[in-house]
Amino acid sequence: MTLRARLKSPRILLAPGVYDGLTAALATDAGFEALYLSGAAVAYTRLGRPDIGLTTASEMADTMALIADRTDLPVIIDADTGFGNALNARRTMQTYERAGAHALQVEDQTYPKRCGHLADKSLILPAEMVGKIAAMADARRHDTLIIARTDAIAVEGFDAAIDRAGQYIDAGADVLFIEAPRDRDELTKIAQTFAGRVPLLANMVEGGATPISSAATLQDIGFDIVIFPGGIVRALAKTAESYYASLLKSGSNKPFSDRMHDFDGLNTAIGTPEMLALGKRFDGKS
Ligand SMILES: C[C@](O)(C(=O)O)[C@H](CC(=O)O)C(=O)O
């Protein structure tokens, strides 16, 4: 089923953040229906840096291609600002589509951007964003969804965000993402204003501007997709901190062994037996 068809279902689509082959494989095996390739998660893990526009389109496209090799699930990819003007956004659509993306999220911040939950964001004019959306629609060769995000709540206020969102839908956005609503009331107003026009996406960032709600609650409010983009990195970072501290202190892995896979455990998780069997099938000996 295409992502567009899946979004016609009244059941909310829950997409976890991923940033490499391992997280894509584990999220796929866990049973999710779609994945979210988070720009923030790539910045946090590959660069060890904040989500402030340092990651390049090529780094994201490389990551997208590795993930597409590892999973058949549809992947929503973060295209940040499109990495420049409308022509850059156009090229980002071409590059990400080629790498295997099923949906691109583009936002109306200036370039370089910053995480939607950080202070001091600034925006391009709505007309420029409308041009980017149209340029991306013009460039696409497949049924790739354009998810238009506005960061206006924190910069120009809630009403301006609603106004921009309407313009982006008119420009051809397939999905609407209003970043960082501050409470349930704002989430509800977004749903009341736009439900039925295009699918609505909610973004759950642990400790961010929006209170965390469950997928079921967001579905009741009227949302169609929910992403938890950086949660996996926050979970793994905490585990890694404890692991390194424990290894340094004790000089051994033993005290941590109940919190980690052993050799066989990891091989099972990443599908080593299946890969070795596949190799045998094609090795010309059997
Ligand atoms: C959705 C987001 O653009 C992302 O890169 O995943 C980020 C999430 C985050 O910083 O944790 C965002 O700007 O909300």
Side-chain angles (χ1 to χ4, degrees), residues 17 36-42 44 51 60 78 80 105 107 109 113-118 121 149 151 177 179-180 201 203-206 227-231 234:
Y36 180 77
L37 173 48
S38 155
V42 171
Y44 299 152
D51 179 22
M60 288 297 288
D78 187 355
D80 284 344
Q105 169 204 309
E107 74 207 27
Q109 289 195 53
K113 55 74 56 79
R114 48 180 48 211
C115 162
H117 296 257
L118 285 175
K121 296 187 288 185
R149 159 171 152 181
D151 281 69
F177 173 1
E179 174 69 304
L201 182 148
N203 178 22
M204 296 291 112
V205 174
E206 302 78 9
I227 57 171
F228 285 81
R234 292 187 182 91

Side-chain angles (χ1 to χ4, degrees), residues 261-282:
H261 276 305
D262 66 4
F263 185 76
D264 284 347
L266 181 61
N267 278 324
T268 304
I270 62 171
T272 303
E274 291 82 356
M275 277 304 272
L276 295 180
L278 192 65
K280 275 212 161 55
R281 212 174 114 198
F282 297 115

Side-chain angles (χ1 to χ4, degrees), residues 199-275:
L200 304 177
L201 182 148
N203 178 22
M204 296 291 112
V205 174
E206 302 78 9
T210 309
I212 299 285
S213 302
S214 69
T217 302
L218 290 160
Q219 176 177 308
D220 288 346
I221 295 174
F223 283 82
D224 305 281
I225 311 179
V226 56
I227 57 171
F228 285 81
I232 184 60
V233 185
R234 292 187 182 91
L236 289 176
K238 201 158 181 180
T239 303
E241 281 165 0
S242 309
Y243 171 77
Y244 288 131
S246 162
L247 179 60
L248 185 65
K249 188 164 164 229
S250 71
S252 155
N253 284 338
K254 281 236 167 72
F256 212 80
S257 56
D258 56 340
R259 279 170 286 167
M260 60 193 286
H261 276 305
D262 66 4
F263 185 76
D264 284 347
L266 181 61
N267 278 324
T268 304
I270 62 171
T272 303
E274 291 82 356
M275 277 304 272

Side-chain angles (χ1 to χ4, degrees), residues 27-247:
T28 302
D29 291 348
F32 289 98
E33 295 174 84
L35 305 177
Y36 180 77
L37 173 48
S38 155
V42 171
Y44 299 152
T45 57
R46 287 190 70 180
L47 278 55
R49 296 287 184 199
D51 179 22
I52 52 171
L54 301 171
T55 315
T56 65
S58 307
E59 286 165 345
M60 288 297 288
D62 286 351
T63 309
M64 180 64 245
L66 294 173
I67 289 174
D69 282 349
R70 191 61 186 82
T71 182
D72 292 330
L73 291 183
V75 179
I76 302 167
I77 183 170
D78 187 355
D80 284 344
T81 62
F83 300 93
N85 64 15
L87 286 181
N88 298 99
R90 196 173 190 286
R91 176 142 192 261
T92 301
M93 170 60 83
Q94 294 170 327
T95 313
Y96 283 11
E97 262 197 340
R98 240 187 348 258
H102 291 74
L104 266 70
Q105 169 204 309
V106 63
E107 74 207 27
D108 58 4
Q109 289 195 53
T110 47
Y111 179 80
K113 55 74 56 79
R114 48 180 48 211
C115 162
H117 296 257
L118 285 175
D120 296 330
K121 296 187 288 185
S122 49
L123 306 183
I124 59 174
L125 293 173
E128 186 179 349
M129 180 65 174
V130 162
K132 281 191 192 187
I133 293 167
M136 291 171 80
D138 182 58
R140 71 183 150 191
R141 297 210 178 110
H142 306 292
D143 192 18
T144 305
L145 303 181
I146 298 172
I147 303 177
R149 159 171 152 181
T150 178
D151 281 69
I153 291 182
V155 187
E156 300 174 341
F158 187 77
D159 292 343
I162 294 286
D163 183 60
R164 280 178 176 258
Q167 294 186 53
Y168 303 164
I169 294 171
D170 292 343
D174 302 293
V175 175
L176 177 63
F177 173 1
I178 299 191
E179 174 69 304
R182 292 163 291 202
D183 49 34
R184 189 175 170 133
D185 192 42
E186 288 189 349
L187 286 165
T188 305
K189 280 191 189 133
I190 292 167
Q192 282 167 349
T193 312
F194 295 110
R197 282 182 70 186
V198 286
L200 304 177
L201 182 148
N203 178 22
M204 296 291 112
V205 174
E206 302 78 9
T210 309
I212 299 285
S213 302
S214 69
T217 302
L218 290 160
Q219 176 177 308
D220 288 346
I221 295 174
F223 283 82
D224 305 281
I225 311 179
V226 56
I227 57 171
F228 285 81
I232 184 60
V233 185
R234 292 187 182 91
L236 289 176
K238 201 158 181 180
T239 303
E241 281 165 0
S242 309
Y243 171 77
Y244 288 131
S246 162
L247 179 60

